[in-house]
Amino acid sequence: MPAGLDVGAARIVAATGDGTDAARNAALAVERSDYVEDFLQGADTPSIATDDEIVALGDAAPEVATIVNDEPTRLLGTDSTLPLDDVEPAVQALLESLVGEGEGPLRYAPPSGIDTEPIETAASELGYDPAPVDPGVAVCYDALAEPYTGLGVVIDGTRTIATLVVEGVPVSRSELSRGGDWIDREIA
């Protein structure tokens, strides 16, 4: 079954034929303990375990952060502090919880500046054929009826994108290096 993925600064939203699901774009590596492991199993949330750490993923990361008095990091982002060896298995665990195993295309709209290799590898491991899609085009495909003609505007954490689509084909694209994070700072 085909799937779509919107990787935002704060949330990762997945769409399949069964509907949509979302999780925070967050991870937190903490020292292994029975308490944290029991919490994560009880919450039925994705996580990965290494020899000496357990990595809480998605919506559980901020909750575990409260328990251990720490701050989660973005799982997929240029500011992620998660060890590189943990990123790929973490992305696979989170994707598996959002879209499950499948086949067919998985199209994703990544944030700017991230390494998309973990998404590509994880999606392939789950049986999908992954490929990135322009976020503005994704908005048009989601919001418009065929023949998909319109302007798709996306404001993510670090940029604003406007993509003009005519009959399903992107014909023009503009990007500003100011996004939601800048808007938040200016308003505050």
Side-chain angles (χ1 to χ4, degrees):
M1 172 181 349
L5 204 62
D6 180 10
V7 181
R11 303 206 46 83
I12 298 172
V13 180
T16 65
D18 296 331
T20 60
D21 199 2
R24 288 181 194 247
N25 182 1
L28 179 64
V30 297
E31 188 175 313
R32 288 186 84 157
S33 73
D34 292 338
Y35 182 76
V36 172
E37 289 184 41
D38 289 346
F39 171 79
L40 291 171
Q41 286 177 346
D44 193 28
T45 186
S47 62
I48 61 166
T50 64
D51 290 337
D52 55 349
E53 290 184 319
I54 189 159
V55 181
L57 302 169
D59 296 333
E63 294 179 35
V64 171
T66 302
I67 294 169
V68 299
N69 197 25
D70 201 350
E71 290 289 323
T73 186
R74 287 183 182 153
L75 174 58
L76 293 165
T78 57
D79 58 351
S80 179
T81 58
L82 194 64
L84 292 177
D85 292 344
D86 295 343
V87 172
E88 214 165 90
V91 170
Q92 183 168 345
L94 190 61
L95 281 185
E96 187 169 10
S97 75
L98 290 172
V99 298
E101 292 185 1
E103 57 184 40
L106 182 137
R107 300 300 179 249
Y108 62 93
S112 62
I114 70 157
D115 177 15
T116 59
E117 184 67 28
I119 298 171
E120 298 269 341
T121 301
S124 294
E125 289 287 324
L126 293 171
Y128 291 99
D129 174 28
V133 64
D134 179 271
V137 173
V139 167
C140 289
Y141 286 170
D142 179 53
L144 302 172
E146 286 192 59
Y148 306 117
T149 297
L151 182 66
V153 178
V154 175
I155 302 173
D156 70 13
T158 59
R159 63 191 175 159
T160 301
I161 301 166
T163 305
L164 179 62
V165 177
V166 176
E167 295 187 5
V169 178
V171 295
S172 180
R173 181 180 191 273
S174 292
E175 182 173 331
L176 301 173
S177 62
R178 306 224 180 201
D181 294 345
W182 178 81
I183 292 169
D184 291 344
R185 282 192 307 275
E186 292 298 309
I187 290 175

